[in-house]
Amino acid sequence: MAHLPMQKFKKSGQRHQEKCNRFLITVTVLGSTGPLRFIVKEDDLVASVIGTALRSYALQRRYPVLGSDFNNFLLYCANAGSEALGAMKPIGSYCCRNFVLCKKQAVDNESSGKEDAPPRTAAVSRKRVGDSWKAWLNRSLKLKITAH
């Protein structure tokens, strides 16, 4: 039986420390049947997480078809906050592991009163998204509790 040198153990310990900055996130796509779960690094930007979620969504052939341009989507913390996450911030800077992915809604230039203005986008109201999730959760729990 051969003994392994001590350096091999140190290297495996170092490799374990490198993997410690990864974590599992859950991304719920608004209008989809279920959440996406995948592992990301703390240093990954929110924009790359949105891109990964869209690729994963497309690979699983889910409906409705969303597209692949991550600029058309916003990512929100599912638990708190009404602001969309910054696209250039690392995902690990948020104390959240559950996210909601929403498609941006286009706003007409006619309603803004400027004809020469470039097209703008407005995010889906976070309050409405949070209320619908809470209402859905309450309805589903009430159905399960009253059935027993």
Side-chain angles (χ1 to χ4, degrees):
M1 178 172 167
H3 294 282
L4 298 174
M6 198 60 158
Q7 289 179 338
K8 295 237 178 193
F9 291 109
K10 289 181 182 177
K11 286 183 181 178
S12 66
Q14 290 172 351
R15 192 176 336 140
H16 177 67
Q17 290 175 351
E18 291 172 5
K19 290 184 181 181
C20 287
N21 64 350
R22 294 177 184 229
F23 54 89
L24 179 71
I25 65 169
T26 302
V27 178
T28 302
V29 179
L30 205 61
S32 181
T33 56
L36 301 167
R37 290 183 183 90
F38 51 92
I39 296 175
V40 295
K41 294 181 183 176
E42 286 182 353
D43 300 339
D44 287 347
L45 298 178
V46 171
S48 69
V49 171
I50 293 172
T52 303
L54 291 174
R55 280 191 300 276
S56 176
Y57 189 87
L59 286 173
Q60 294 177 15
R61 298 181 184 201
R62 294 187 179 209
Y63 291 101
V65 176
L66 298 176
S68 61
D69 186 14
F70 66 88
N71 292 319
N72 294 334
F73 294 89
L74 296 172
L75 195 65
Y76 295 93
C77 281
N79 304 17
S82 61
E83 295 293 320
L85 306 182
M88 293 307 186
K89 289 192 174 183
I91 196 75
S93 66
Y94 301 99
C95 297
C96 183
R97 300 297 181 250
N98 299 316
F99 301 94
V100 177
L101 184 67
C102 302
K103 195 166 189 173
K104 291 181 183 178
Q105 293 179 341
V107 176
D108 294 336
N109 286 338
E110 297 170 6
S111 63
S112 66
K114 297 179 182 179
E115 294 178 12
D116 297 335
R120 300 183 317 170
T121 57
V124 175
S125 169
R126 175 65 185 131
K127 187 174 180 183
R128 194 178 91 209
V129 172
D131 289 344
S132 67
W133 279 100
K134 290 176 186 174
W136 173 83
L137 183 62
N138 287 335
R139 281 193 312 251
S140 64
L141 290 176
K142 286 179 184 176
L143 289 175
K144 290 180 182 177
I145 293 171
T146 58
H148 293 290

